[in-house]
């Protein structure tokens, strides 16, 4: 009864278009779900995300769930997830994408899911890492450990949205460091992020993780920019 009254007084809205949600809808309305620009990268070994990292870092696998554009449903979702504390978006998308990923043999080789970390100061400011719920949903669904202790951010810096294109391509590899022991040697790490633009942040993360002897790396992001007009 309390839930019904709450929904009546404070109706839930779609976080993609702000229309009122039906009782059987969560996070996104049916219309926005159908219009979500899915990449299907996980079905293409030589997809655009993999090409983005050719000659930069060695990846076993790379994929992103949706395309990111400056305007539209995905922009609204990421904005709400990152700045307005709607962490349920990460859980919703993570559970959805996990169902697609379960069919892939390579998923069984992942030893740990590692989020791109925030600096401690940024974490205090925001209160949470925006990619955490996405990663934990993947972890729960795919039965892969989630570990946010191995990769650390050493340097506090501006967010990517505050940088111009050239600034996004120049990420100092010293920004990230790793904490590891012998038990982490030879592991296959799945690095996750919210949005990939140039890939420079993930490249810096990868170089840090490559300091772990015998490590292998794959990448999954919620979204990948469709073009540099982002």
């Amino acid at each position: 009864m309390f839930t019904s009254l709450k929904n009546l007084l404070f109706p839930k809205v779609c976080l993609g278009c702000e229309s009122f949600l039906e009782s059987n809808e969560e996070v996104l309305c049916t219309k926005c779900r159908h219009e979500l620009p899915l990449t299907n990268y996980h079905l293409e070994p030589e997809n655009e995300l993999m090409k983005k990292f050719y000659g930069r870092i060695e990846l076993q696998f790379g994929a992103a769930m949706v395309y990111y554009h400056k305007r539209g449903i995905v922009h609204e979702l990421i904005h709400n997830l990152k700045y307005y504390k709607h962490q349920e978006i990460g859980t919703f998308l993570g559970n959805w994408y996990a169902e697609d990923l379960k069919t892939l043999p390579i998923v069984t080789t992942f030893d740990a899911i590692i989020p791109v970390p925030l600096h401690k100061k940024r974490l205090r400011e925001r209160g949470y890492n925006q990619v955490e719920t996405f990663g934990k949903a993947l972890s729960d669904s795919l039965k892969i450990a989630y570990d946010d202790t191995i990769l650390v951010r050493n340097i506090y810096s501006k967010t990517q949205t505050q940088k111009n294109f050239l600034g996004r391509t120049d990420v100092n590899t010293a920004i990230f460091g790793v904490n590891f022991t012998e038990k982490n040697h030879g592991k296959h790490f799945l690095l996750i992020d919210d949005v990939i633009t140039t890939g420079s942040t993930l490249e810096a993360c990868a170089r840090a993780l490559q300091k772990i002897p015998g490590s292998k790396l794959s990448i999954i992001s919620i979204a990948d920019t469709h073009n540099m007009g982002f």
Side-chain angles (χ1 to χ4, degrees):
M1 181 177 176
F2 176 76
T3 301
S4 299
L5 181 60
K6 181 181 177 182
N7 289 340
L8 180 63
L9 297 174
F10 305 101
K12 295 185 294 182
V13 299
C14 172
L15 295 175
C17 69
E18 297 189 338
S19 64
F20 292 126
L21 292 175
E22 299 291 339
S23 59
N24 63 333
E25 296 174 333
E26 292 290 336
V27 180
L28 284 179
C29 66
T30 301
K31 181 175 181 293
C32 282
R33 283 194 63 143
H34 288 160
E35 293 180 356
L36 207 62
L38 302 174
T39 67
N40 287 319
Y41 280 175
H42 63 288
L43 302 177
E44 306 170 37
E46 302 299 316
N47 60 60
E48 291 303 312
L49 189 149
M50 290 291 285
K51 292 176 183 177
K52 193 173 283 189
F53 290 101
Y54 282 170
R56 298 165 66 183
I57 54 177
E58 183 178 350
L59 293 179
Q60 306 299 311
F61 173 80
M65 181 177 180
V66 293
Y67 290 115
Y68 182 94
H69 299 276
K70 193 171 183 178
R71 296 179 181 82
I73 299 167
V74 177
H75 171 81
E76 292 302 317
L77 286 176
I78 297 297
H79 197 71
N80 277 308
L81 172 63
K82 196 167 184 176
Y83 300 111
Y84 290 98
K85 302 183 185 299
H86 284 289
Q87 297 179 71
E88 70 271 24
I89 292 171
T91 302
F92 174 79
L93 295 176
N95 286 333
W96 181 346
Y97 204 35
E99 291 304 308
D100 292 333
L101 298 173
K102 282 178 180 178
T103 63
L104 305 179
I106 196 168
V107 168
T108 63
T109 71
F110 298 149
D111 294 297
I113 295 172
I114 298 181
V116 170
L118 297 182
H119 188 270
K120 290 181 180 179
K121 181 179 178 181
R122 176 76 66 203
L123 192 57
R124 286 196 300 269
E125 292 170 348
R126 187 170 294 161
Y128 60 96
N129 184 334
Q130 68 273 10
V131 79
E132 180 178 349
T133 53
F134 178 73
K136 287 187 174 179
L138 291 178
S139 172
D140 290 342
S141 295
L142 301 176
K143 310 303 179 188
I144 303 167
Y146 179 87
D147 195 328
D148 59 2
T149 64
I150 294 176
L151 188 63
V152 295
R153 187 181 292 255
N154 297 321
I155 300 172
Y156 179 82
S157 60
K158 291 182 178 180
T159 63
Q160 291 291 82
T161 54
Q162 293 175 305
K163 298 179 181 180
N164 59 26
F165 176 79
L166 292 177
R168 293 176 189 175
T169 63
D170 183 23
V171 173
N172 185 345
T173 55
I175 288 177
F176 299 99
V178 286
N179 296 316
F180 66 93
T181 63
E182 189 173 343
K183 71 176 184 179
N184 302 121
H185 292 189
K187 299 298 185 181
H188 186 176
F189 299 113
L190 176 61
L191 182 64
I192 61 168
D193 202 2
D194 54 354
V195 180
I196 298 176
T197 51
T198 64
S200 54
T201 297
L202 286 169
E203 181 179 355
C205 288
R207 295 195 185 283
L209 288 169
Q210 285 172 344
K211 295 176 183 178
I212 302 175
S215 62
K216 293 183 288 187
L217 185 68
S218 290
I219 287 173
I220 285 179
S221 178
I222 295 175
D224 182 30
T225 50
H226 204 185
N227 57 58
M228 289 306 149
F230 157 86

